[in-house]
Amino acid sequence: MSLKIAAEIYPKSASETVEEPCLVIREYDEDRHKVAVEKLESLCEVGQSGKPSLVTDLMGDPICRIRHFQLHVMLVAEYGEEGEVVGVIRGCVKTVTRRNSVYVKLAYVLGLRVSPRHRRFGIGTKLVQHLEDWCKQNGAKYAYMATDCTNEPSVNLFTKKCGYSKFRTLTILVQPVHAHYKPISSNIAVLRLPPRLAGSMYNNMFANSEFYPKDIEMILSNKLNLGTFMAIPKKYMSKCDLKRGILPPTFAMLSVWNTKDVFKLQVKGVSPLTHACCVGTRLLDEWIPWLRLPSFPDVFRPFGVYFVYGLHMEGKCGTQLMKFLCGFVHNMARDDGGCGAIVAELGQRDPVRDAVPHWRKFSWAEDMWCIKNLEATKQNIHEKSDWFTSRSSSPVIFVDPRDF
């Protein structure tokens, strides 16, 4: 079986005709494509037989993961005369820091799916190319994508066929939500900061970081943002004035994004024994919570996630305060039915990384970010800029919660 790629048809004008159309790439239309896209997503979620898999439920909204960006698009690949949807891709354009408060327009490529029956025919490559064209039309200078470093098909597609380069490696830290509460010291105060104040503080704290979004106040004001919180020792409460920029000598700070209202996750394919053991730990934790047993949440039914971002700490007690603040978020999630885990993504050199509680078994040590210069010429598709070749002076990479 072979596929013949039709002419470039994105966007397609009403007067355009193509002889023997085989593959057409166009913008997603909810009325026309929603059911087919949901079916395709389901096909692509099937894991290896006999092995556990993590399934994503987009809750009836195929563009949920890009909806909160001002500039976003979803493309679909239609094959054959009946227009069967055989591939999808999503993308957005935002303005972020490259380093040292220098802003650049950047595209984020995500959600690439190709029907298992139609793989190895260049459909994924075509989808990426059409999305990049849209991104360039909207001013993007660079494009990047993220994937697990063990996902060889994805890494090979982007680095060998689409001209992307391995750029940064981050760590995804996962903390399950237990049935018991985490203890919070009575000597620590947790303050909730207004979005405007939090945005002003973040602008100063992350000015030299990479990927810090220019529209941070829009993120902090979004309905999915559950708040920005600061933990400080109570003895320093009288010595700081946050509105005037007078910070305590030691503190920790983070924001919480509620992804469970965007999509749900579910673990499938585990053995009956594993399932019974996990359920057993949960029951014990619920019956005797004072023992604070490290129990499994019910991940075998759809569950949501809290994503923490903008993590920052200062002073001699910063590490301890960050741990208490993560415990505070855990207790928030514990009271919020249906939240199964708390997730953070941090650069491997970020000093906050060691302060964030997590289960190593559930975490990803290497989430690979690959990047491409969209202004590179066709003759030199791997042309690099100074952003590619020089190491960042800051160990901090700001992870936009909308990317997760």
Side-chain angles (χ1 to χ4, degrees), residues 7 31 160 188 234 284 300 353 361:
D31 294 334
K160 295 182 178 180
I188 295 174
K234 287 184 177 178
L284 284 174
F300 308 109
R353 178 183 168 189
K361 192 172 184 179

Side-chain angles (χ1 to χ4, degrees), residues 300-366:
F300 308 109
R301 290 185 293 181
F303 67 95
V305 167
Y306 280 1
F307 184 77
V308 292
Y309 66 101
L311 292 87
H312 181 82
M313 62 187 190
E314 292 186 13
K316 64 179 182 180
C317 299
T319 298
Q320 182 182 13
L321 291 169
M322 180 58 71
K323 290 180 179 179
F324 277 122
L325 195 53
C326 290
F328 174 83
V329 176
H330 171 277
N331 295 345
M332 285 176 55
R334 190 260 180 223
D335 288 336
D336 187 353
C339 186
I342 301 155
V343 180
E345 185 166 13
L346 299 164
Q348 294 192 335
R349 297 187 294 135
D350 195 322
V352 174
R353 178 183 168 189
D354 294 333
V356 177
H358 63 280
W359 281 18
R360 183 176 298 179
K361 192 172 184 179
F362 291 165
S363 302
W364 286 266
E366 295 186 359

